[in-house]
Amino acid sequence: MRSYQPDLTPPWKKSAPAPEVPAEPDLVVEEAVTGFCGAVIRCEKTAEGPTVTLEDRFGKHRVFPMAPRGFLLEGRVVTLVRPSAGGPVRPARTASGSVAVPGARARVARAGRIYVEGRHDAELVERVWGDDLRIEGVVVEYLEGIDDLPAIVREFSPAPDARLGVLVDHLVPGSKESRIAAQVSDGDVLVVGHPYIDVWEAVKPSSVGIAGWPVVPRGQDWKTGVCRALGWPENTGAAWQRILSSVRSYRDLQPELLGRVEELIDFVTLPD
């Protein structure tokens, strides 16, 4: 018979038990060792023990063992466990990946604004960042193009308590858009952009269910050319609704757009 061996570890050296948290889909945690932060995608059984797959806001996946005290949830050490079958699923984040604030009221609109080029850009930003924008009191407006951007900025009259952020399509060296953006020089204005010809391309092809966005020959209307190449009806409004409906969260967008929108929100919400 094995003799009893008392635990002589001093109380102050013993680790306090960490609360067990079900690894529900969309729960956002930080892995304690690496600092990798992401949303739970799935849990799996492996020969080495249960694992959890996390996805960060740029779409990168990492697999971690579900070790005791292995994760941080809102700064608190926790132990992730496999969720019970049929248990409730409560997303801990908004569509943009920000911490959800249940019952939060919209803030009174700030004087600052975010301008985007077109209606599709505005609808996409609203779909992913709408909750964040309402909490921060940021209004997004669309311009129907940026050809008159310098005059639009002057009319807005930006100031430290009324900053202006502008999101530009196809902001790459040598483009017409880059030449227009270069004409705006005001410390209370931030002009940023993504490399895509149209914001449609900022949606991941896999989310839309296509292999990739087609290359449309110069001189053709880009959106109509996309519809033709994909075999969709040449109705760009219906095509956009199809694309927009495939976007459920930030995971469906390319990082080149994600980072720029986050930049603009941070810029217009800086303290005066």
Side-chain angles (χ1 to χ4, degrees), residues 1-245:
M1 180 180 294
R2 189 169 56 185
S3 61
Y4 170 71
Q5 297 292 328
D7 184 358
L8 301 179
T9 305
W12 60 87
K13 288 189 177 181
K14 294 181 179 179
S15 297
E20 294 186 346
V21 176
E24 302 282 3
D26 290 329
L27 178 74
V28 176
V29 295
E30 178 183 341
E31 203 275 330
V33 176
T34 63
F36 185 90
C37 183
V40 172
I41 300 299
R42 60 181 172 273
C43 299
E44 296 177 297
K45 291 181 180 179
T46 71
E48 290 76 27
T51 64
V52 61
T53 301
L54 304 181
E55 181 184 60
D56 71 7
R57 66 191 311 145
F58 299 108
K60 183 178 180 181
H61 287 198
R62 291 279 297 274
V63 180
F64 298 101
M66 296 172 71
R69 302 177 61 83
F71 299 86
L72 301 177
L73 176 61
E74 297 182 355
R76 182 178 55 138
V77 177
V78 299
T79 297
L80 289 186
V81 296
R82 291 174 62 85
S84 58
V89 176
R90 294 185 297 174
R93 296 272 165 160
T94 66
S96 72
S98 301
V99 176
V101 184
R105 294 184 176 181
R107 175 175 174 159
V108 175
R110 297 173 182 265
R113 290 288 187 274
I114 291 176
Y115 285 168
V116 297
E117 284 204 48
R119 181 170 58 85
H120 293 179
D121 306 69
E123 289 176 347
L124 187 60
V125 169
E126 164 61 28
R127 190 169 189 90
V128 175
W129 287 273
D131 290 338
D132 307 67
L133 294 168
R134 280 181 282 279
I135 289 175
E136 295 291 349
V138 177
V139 175
V140 174
E141 300 179 12
Y142 66 91
L143 302 175
E144 297 183 343
I146 63 161
D147 288 351
D148 299 321
L149 184 61
I152 291 169
V153 170
R154 288 194 298 272
E155 183 179 355
F156 182 83
S157 299
D161 61 346
R163 293 186 176 91
L164 176 63
V166 184
L167 179 68
V168 177
D169 297 342
H170 199 226
L171 191 61
V172 296
S175 68
K176 178 192 77 171
E177 291 82 0
S178 67
R179 292 191 293 272
I180 294 172
Q183 298 174 42
V184 177
S185 58
D186 187 307
D188 296 311
V189 180
L190 176 63
V191 181
V192 299
H194 56 75
Y196 305 113
I197 294 174
D198 190 274
V199 77
W200 287 21
E201 282 191 292
V203 180
K204 292 180 179 177
S206 58
S207 297
V208 184
I210 59 177
W213 290 106
V215 176
V216 177
R218 293 177 66 88
Q220 287 189 25
D221 177 72
W222 188 85
K223 292 176 181 176
T224 302
V226 166
C227 292
R228 287 175 185 160
L230 294 175
W232 294 355
E234 293 183 20
N235 181 331
T236 58
W240 170 241
Q241 291 308 311
R242 176 175 181 168
I243 296 165
L244 185 62
S245 66

